């Protein structure tokens, strides 16, 4: 199966100080970063059928959905959320995007309280949620797994055999730039996350927050940063998983070109 990953949307960045002056229709009168959102959404809608970079080969299949790793809004305001929904929808037919969306929050979404997080929970059944695409299990852990999130994850994974492939995604970084000086880094949450998943087959973790691309290993797990809409790293990840291998390729929607790709085996030969 194929799915996309994007981060750091920041609806509200570049909005007027007086929100009463916002256009009635954000799709026809884009504000702030919204022209960038139009570009990335148009590319996602049309990427199926295009050829992967030579190291991977083949063509992009129709994606099952889009994972969003947080910072949907700049300040967590109602108007910003409304613009996010107008562009990205939910099931693939409410907004510009034509595939389902599975979003989690970031630190910016919590600036003025839990309102955005509550909207996400209404759309997906909880602050943290999970689902299956065929044999692949995916888990959204919001900004990052706190006490409640770790308890949710442990209970969720207890229902799956150790050989089931699992993808986790959340907002805050595990290592590298912008991975310190926040509640997730300063507590023991990361260590507890590692212990929670150590007996399970986590094939990838995706996170945002850094507004950058990257790939590193954490506790033996491959971790990917897909790029962001805010600032200059205008890429999203295209993930393809089969029984035997997984590939992650980043597409630059400004340059209309593949920016990076990686492939790994999921079973030993």
């Amino acid at each position: 199966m194929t799915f996309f990953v994007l981060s750091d949307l920041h609806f509200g960045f570049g909005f007027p100080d007086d929100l009463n002056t916002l256009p009635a229709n954000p799709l026809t009168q884009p504000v702030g970063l919204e022209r960038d959102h139009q570009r990335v959404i148009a590319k996602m809608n049309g990427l199926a059928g295009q050829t992967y970079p030579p190291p991977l080969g083949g063509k992009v299949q129709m994606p099952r959905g889009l994972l969003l790793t947080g910072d949907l809004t700049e300040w967590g305001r109602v108007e910003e959320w409304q613009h996010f929904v107008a562009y990205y929808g939910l099931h693939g037919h409410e907004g510009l995007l034509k595939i389902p969306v599975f979003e989690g929050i970031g630190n910016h979404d919590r600036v003025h309280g839990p309102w955005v997080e509550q909207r996400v929970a209404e759309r997906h059944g909880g602050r943290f949620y999970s689902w299956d695409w065929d044999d692949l299990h995916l888990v959204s852990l919001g900004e990052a797994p706190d006490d409640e999130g770790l308890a949710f994850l442990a209970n969720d994974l207890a229902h799956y055999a150790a050989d089931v492939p699992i993808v986790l995604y959340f907002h805050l970084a595990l290592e590298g730039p912008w991975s310190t000086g926040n509640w997730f880094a300063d507590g023991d949450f990361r260590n507890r996350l590692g212990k929670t998943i150590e007996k399970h087959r986590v094939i990838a973790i995706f996170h945002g927050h850094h507004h950058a691309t990257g790939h590193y290993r954490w506790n033996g797990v491959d971790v990917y940063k897909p790029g962001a809409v805010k600032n200059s790293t205008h890429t999203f990840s295209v993930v393809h998983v089969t029984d035997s291998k997984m590939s992650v390729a980043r597409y630059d929607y400004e340059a209309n070109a593949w920016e990076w790709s990686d492939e790994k085996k999921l079973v030993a030969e």
Side-chain angles (χ1 to χ4, degrees), residues 5-60:
V5 190
L6 178 65
S7 192
D8 293 274
L9 278 60
H10 289 273
F11 278 90
F13 184 79
F15 276 20
D17 293 335
D18 183 0
L19 296 180
N20 291 321
T21 65
L22 283 171
N25 188 337
L27 300 180
T28 59
Q29 296 176 281
V31 181
L33 298 175
E34 290 173 355
R35 292 192 185 279
D36 293 320
H37 286 289
Q38 289 179 341
R39 283 192 283 270
V40 67
I41 290 172
K43 185 52 62 177
M44 288 180 179
N45 285 341
L47 198 64
Q50 293 197 28
T51 303
Y52 277 113
L56 301 182
K59 294 182 182 296
V60 179

Side-chain angles (χ1 to χ4, degrees), residues 242-254:
T242 72
D243 289 337
S244 61
K245 63 184 179 180
M246 169 182 169
S247 66
V248 179
R250 289 195 297 265
Y251 194 88
D252 186 323
Y253 60 88
E254 294 287 358

Side-chain angles (χ1 to χ4, degrees), residues 7-157:
S7 192
D8 293 274
L9 278 60
H10 289 273
F11 278 90
F13 184 79
F15 276 20
D17 293 335
D18 183 0
L19 296 180
N20 291 321
T21 65
L22 283 171
N25 188 337
L27 300 180
T28 59
Q29 296 176 281
V31 181
L33 298 175
E34 290 173 355
R35 292 192 185 279
D36 293 320
H37 286 289
Q38 289 179 341
R39 283 192 283 270
V40 67
I41 290 172
K43 185 52 62 177
M44 288 180 179
N45 285 341
L47 198 64
Q50 293 197 28
T51 303
Y52 277 113
L56 301 182
K59 294 182 182 296
V60 179
Q61 295 180 354
M62 183 62 65
R64 292 285 191 93
L66 168 65
L67 313 186
L68 294 174
T69 65
D71 278 0
L72 312 171
T73 66
E74 183 71 9
W75 303 109
R77 297 178 293 193
V78 173
E79 294 84 358
E80 297 167 350
W81 173 260
Q82 291 171 339
H83 282 226
F84 159 70
V85 173
Y87 275 77
Y88 286 87
L90 176 59
H91 299 106
H93 53 75
E94 304 92 342
L96 290 183
L97 187 68
K98 302 308 178 186
I99 59 175
V101 173
F102 302 85
E103 77 278 359
I105 68 158
N107 55 296
H108 273 256
D109 299 311
R110 298 171 56 250
V111 170
H112 295 301
W115 190 84
V116 169
E117 187 174 44
Q118 291 166 355
R119 304 290 77 72
V120 172
E122 289 173 356
R123 282 158 55 101
H124 299 284
R127 293 179 62 209
F128 313 102
Y129 61 94
S130 66
W131 73 99
D132 297 325
W133 277 330
D134 298 339
D135 296 329
L136 182 66
H137 186 59
L138 300 97
V139 187
S140 173
L141 293 170
E143 183 182 6
D146 56 14
D147 289 330
E148 181 184 348
L150 289 167
F152 171 88
L153 180 62
N155 179 68
D156 183 71
L157 297 184

